[in-house]
Amino acid sequence: SFPSMLGVARKHANLVVSKVRDRESLDSIAISPNLDVCFVENTTFASKHVLSLSGCFNASMAYGSTFSDGNNSTTVQERGRSAWGHPNVTVRGKKIIIATGADPVIPSNLKESAQLFGLPLLTYRSVLRPEYGAISEPALWDICGNATVSQKLGMSQKNENGAHFEPAKQVIVVGGGSTACELAQAIARLGLFTINLTVVAPSLIPSEDISARCAMEEILKDDGVSVKFGRATKIIGRTSVENSTNFVTTSSEIGERTAEEKPLVLMEDGSTLPVDVLIIACGREPGNSLKSLKLENAGVSWTAKNGVLVDEQLRSTSMRHIFAIGDCASAVQSRDRRASHAGWTGFHAARNALLPFFLRSKAVHPFVPRVTYTDPEIASVGMSRRDC
């Protein structure tokens, strides 16, 4: 049954997460005498060479490493304590590498209209999250595999005897990139006959050649995923469709929805799709993760869309001793914000920060592979036919 499949999937997710945490535990990474691993509540730039670490817990101290032993050639000064009792410190360094990643992009029109109708809105970060409790938003399996949660969200229905039953959930994935396709196939394989899954996007893996895009469509359809080409504009109520000349986007008491009261995704061409759960996979941008760093205090140039502006050696164009890697570096195009490029740029940034200028390497390379991890996988290297 579908709930049992969700239970297996959740156990598998918990197992994978625990294995990764064990592999990257402090026992493995905090034993180097030249490395301090610090957990902080907040990090900001105080100046171009100084970082302010609020609530800094130096986990490496348990393994004999301390800030003050001079191994890292950093200067640390304590400035009071945080509310949790950990010290607030300033750290001075000759070279700094920024690796804050990026956050999911959620179109404001979909976010606002989904909130009006109490529609669950998930991203790749929350859709298959193993833990539930500390975070208020439920994951997909809490919504689709838990009758109590479904009733609370107004998704359950009653039969003629007044008993609740769970109809097939209408799950829509907005976006057609690698993440959207990977999630769609994974979710479809959890419960093909209990979830009606639709991918909504202008095209699938648009940065790849037409042969790869057509193959991806067939891969998804083979697993029971419907593909609707077009652009989703907002969420509307069923009454809005009946009065198509005047779309209403205000919500009434949600309560228990019947099939006729289910919210709809309004497409750009005027068509609609019923929806119970909306998963947003429209890419990611580094703006939110960089904003909190107060890069202006260090004179680092950056934009919300492209990240830290860097040259081909991943050095900040305005502060040459500061480097940026992965999703938060402008050298990585939006289509290439994935693990392979994060690893590639991380290696070269560390190398360029340590070596003299005549040994530094260019980190922008056209032959870093791009992979969409569906089954079967679709991979490409180099330029597409459109690029040529």
Side-chain angles (χ1 to χ4, degrees), residues 208 212 369-372 377-381:
E208 305 299 343
R370 303 185 299 274
V371 184
T372 301
E377 298 172 348
I378 292 182
S380 59
V381 179

Side-chain angles (χ1 to χ4, degrees), residues 118-121 143-144 153-157 167-172 196 257-258 262-265 273-278:
L119 183 69
L121 191 150
I143 297 169
C144 295
L153 294 172
M155 294 180 184
S156 64
Q157 297 179 20
K169 300 296 188 296
Q170 306 294 328
V171 178
I172 291 182
N196 293 328
R257 299 188 184 115
T258 65
K262 188 171 294 187
L264 303 166
V265 172
L273 298 169
V275 59
D276 287 307
V277 181
L278 196 64

